[in-house]
């Protein structure tokens, strides 16, 4: 229990109940000075920007708020107390600040949040195994899918796309234009490669993202030696680096997801020195990090230093008044949506690349003379990756990010999205016996939870305490989930059931905030349930 201000946050395991399909945090007033309806209104206001249709409610003298992810609970707590402790005239400003902090946490990373929102709208179960946005679990049982740090678990192209040397060779084998490229396992070999290619060159690691340890426009052997030492210090286990010919042009990022193509272009961002401000601070401001270079995260400081080095500057250098210099790479520039301006030949090439690297989501980086230019020399494909940051398209064309998220879900789930859910009275597991017999005959494995115990195969075979409900729902051999209706059913990361057996199921479902099967449909026959367990449940709007 964490106490802060006038409210106390009960951790998720201690909360009085949950609001399916999300866990909930409970906030109890430490004194009676705040009317509960006022707390409920503030809670609703904080949740509204999440755009999930969530609502606060009152339960036994506590304010209960559904939390899409556990890491949001302390942020909500801080926001509630900031509003309550502010003077009446400052509460609107405090609420606005609290909502901003909550949104910043919720949209980190933005791609996972877009996918989660789209999945919930389709009735696809959503879970966050790590408690934050780095790991998103979708679906249940043998239909589950995972997205970890942007990578889908069914990505067949990742071994190729993540290896910059392997992928650039594959692109060359396709007859596509690429920068001249050499793999160098030592600085001497890197210098030889640069002499063959001709300066300026680019140095980059064999794997990585977000421009980490990338050095561009290296113009001389001495600069290459400096870049090599810096890259090796940043990647001490690296066994070599790629040396590529530097190409000038407009940077273009294409994102391809299940046949959908989005693209934006950007130029190298530039700024002017004022004669007093260090170059590092000017870069930090221009790139949206901090006003002070020293306050930037380590990755940001490294990136800025790499950008400045080829220009003969360091973060502490003070550019002359009016001196123009680059504050980032072309990929850091102001993006512009150019999907409708791509040359047909470029579009065709991108579709070929998507076929060669069959990732659920694929990012392709190109350099072109102009966005409308065909993909032929001096243009080139720079690299591909299987974890593209597609949320940026949402900023350029509202709705496009959601379209890409839906396209990704269609790629991840060409068929069913979850196993069926059977609800039964928790105190009467014997009613499952005929169903268990039929399932065993059909070779179908079931699991469930009742009276605080998670079980698999039979209700009397309790799993070890280390096996959580999340672990059960993630089993690739689970084909049916049986939920014992009782107080323990609250907090299960599911929102609806497909059939019920036993008495008073409607009232029990309502008490657990679960959606009942289609009204008037009646319970499924055993053979129907077996068929549904075999086929799975398709996506569809939540009831």
């Amino acid at each position: 229990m964490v106490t802060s201000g006038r409210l106390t946050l009960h951790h998720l395991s201690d909360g009085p109940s949950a609001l399916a399909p999300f866990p909930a945090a409970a906030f109890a007033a430490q004194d009676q000075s705040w009317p509960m309806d006022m707390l409920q209104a503030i809670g609703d206001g904080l949740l509204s920007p999440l755009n999930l249709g969530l609502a606060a409610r009152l339960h036994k003298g506590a304010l209960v708020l559904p939390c899409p992810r556990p890491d949001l609970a302390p942020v909500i707590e801080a926001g509630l107390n900031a509003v309550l402790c502010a003077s009446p005239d400052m509460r609107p400003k405090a609420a606005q600040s609290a909502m901003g902090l909550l949104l910043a946490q919720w949209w980190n990373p933005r791609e996972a949040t877009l996918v989660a929102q789209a999945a919930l709208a389709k009735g696809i179960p959503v879970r966050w195994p790590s408690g934050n946005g780095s790991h998103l679990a979708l679906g249940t049982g043998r239909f589950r899918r995972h997205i970890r740090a942007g990578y889908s678990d069914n990505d067949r192209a990742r071994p190729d796309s993540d290896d910059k040397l392997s992928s650039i060779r594959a692109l060359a084998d396709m007859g596509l234009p690429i920068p001249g490229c050499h793999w160098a396992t030592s600085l001497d070999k890197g210098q030889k490669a640069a002499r063959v290619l001709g300066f300026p060159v680019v140095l980059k690691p064999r794997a990585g993202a977000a421009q980490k340890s990338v050095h561009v426009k290296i113009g001389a052997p001495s600069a290459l030696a400096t870049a090599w030492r810096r890259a090796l210090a940043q990647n001490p286990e690296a066994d070599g680096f790629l040396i590529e010919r530097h190409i000038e042009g407009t940077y273009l990022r294409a994102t391809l997801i299940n046949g959908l193509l989005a693209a934006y272009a950007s130029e190298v961002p530039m700024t002017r020195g004022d004669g007093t401000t260090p170059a590092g601070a000017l870069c930090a401001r221009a790139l949206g990090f901090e006003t002070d270079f020293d306050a930037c995260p380590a990755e940001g400081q490294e990136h800025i230093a790499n950008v400045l080095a080829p220009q003969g500057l360091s973060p502490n250098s003070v550019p002359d008044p009016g001196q123009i210099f680059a504050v980032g790479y072309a990929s850091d520039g102001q993006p512009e949506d150019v999907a409708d301006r791509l040359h047909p030949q470029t579009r065709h090439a991108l579709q070929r690349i998507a076929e060669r690297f069959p990732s659920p989501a694929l990012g392709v980086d190109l350099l072109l003379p102009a966005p409308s230019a065909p993909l032929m020399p001096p243009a080139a494909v720079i690299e591909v990756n299987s974890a593209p940051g597609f949320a940026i398209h949402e900023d350029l064309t509202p709705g496009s990010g959601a379209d890409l998220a839906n396209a990704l879900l269609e790629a991840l789930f060409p068929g069913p999205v979850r196993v069926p859910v059977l609800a039964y009275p928790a105190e009467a597991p014997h009613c499952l016996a005929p169903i268990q017999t039929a399932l065993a005959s059909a070779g179908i494995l079931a699991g469930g939870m009742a009276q605080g115990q998670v079980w698999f195969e039979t209700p009397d075979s309790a799993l070890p305490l280390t096996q959580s409900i999340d672990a059960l729902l993630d089993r690739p051999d689970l084909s049916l989930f049986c939920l014992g209706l009782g107080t323990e059913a609250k907090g299960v990361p599911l929102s609806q059931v497909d059939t019920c057996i036993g008495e008073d199921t409607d009232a029990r479902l309502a008490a657990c905030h679960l959606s009942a099967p289609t009204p008037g449909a009646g319970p499924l026959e055993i053979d129907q349930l077996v068929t549904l367990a075999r086929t799975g449940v398709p996506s569809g709007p939540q009831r």
Side-chain angles (χ1 to χ4, degrees), residues 445-469:
L445 298 178
M449 186 184 79
Q451 297 180 331
Q453 291 287 341
V454 176
W455 56 268
F456 186 65
E457 295 194 52
T458 62
D460 57 356
S461 59
L463 293 174
L465 292 178
T466 54
Q467 291 282 346
S468 66
I469 187 69

Side-chain angles (χ1 to χ4, degrees), residues 65-139:
L65 301 179
C67 289
R69 292 200 314 252
D71 63 330
L72 298 182
V75 183
I76 294 174
E77 177 204 20
L80 282 169
N81 284 304
V83 175
L84 293 174
C85 294
S87 59
D89 60 322
M90 293 299 293
R91 280 179 194 151
K93 185 175 181 179
Q96 185 177 11
S97 175
M99 287 187 284
L101 292 173
L102 181 59
L103 275 176
Q105 185 77 6
W106 170 232
W107 286 103
N108 181 26
R110 297 179 65 200
E111 287 74 19
T113 303
L114 281 169
V115 173
Q117 289 179 325
L120 290 167
K122 289 177 174 288
I124 300 174
V126 171
R127 293 172 288 123
W128 306 89
S130 64
N132 56 47
S134 65
H135 182 185
L136 175 63
L138 303 164

Side-chain angles (χ1 to χ4, degrees), residues 156-157 160 171 174 176 256 259 347-359 362 364:
R156 294 180 288 119
D160 275 348
L171 293 166
M174 295 170 63
L176 295 169
L256 299 103
R347 285 181 173 275
H348 178 66
L350 288 170
Q351 294 300 336
R352 288 181 59 209
I353 294 171
E355 292 169 4
R356 172 58 181 81
F357 299 92
S359 294
L362 184 71
V364 185

Side-chain angles (χ1 to χ4, degrees), residues 2 20 22 105 212 239 400 460 481 497:
V2 179
F22 296 125
Q105 185 77 6
K212 180 176 174 60
D239 57 355
S400 62
D460 57 356
F481 181 75
V497 300

Side-chain angles (χ1 to χ4, degrees), residues 93 126 195 243 251 269 291 297 311 358 360 382-383 396 458 473 489 502 523:
K93 185 175 181 179
V126 171
R195 288 194 296 271
I243 306 296
Y251 171 81
T291 57
Q311 305 175 79
I382 305 303
E383 61 185 43
L396 303 176
T458 62
L473 292 174

Side-chain angles (χ1 to χ4, degrees), residues 1-2 9-17 24-26:
M1 182 177 293
V2 179
L9 167 65
H10 296 260
H11 287 299
L12 303 183
S13 59
D14 304 325
S17 70

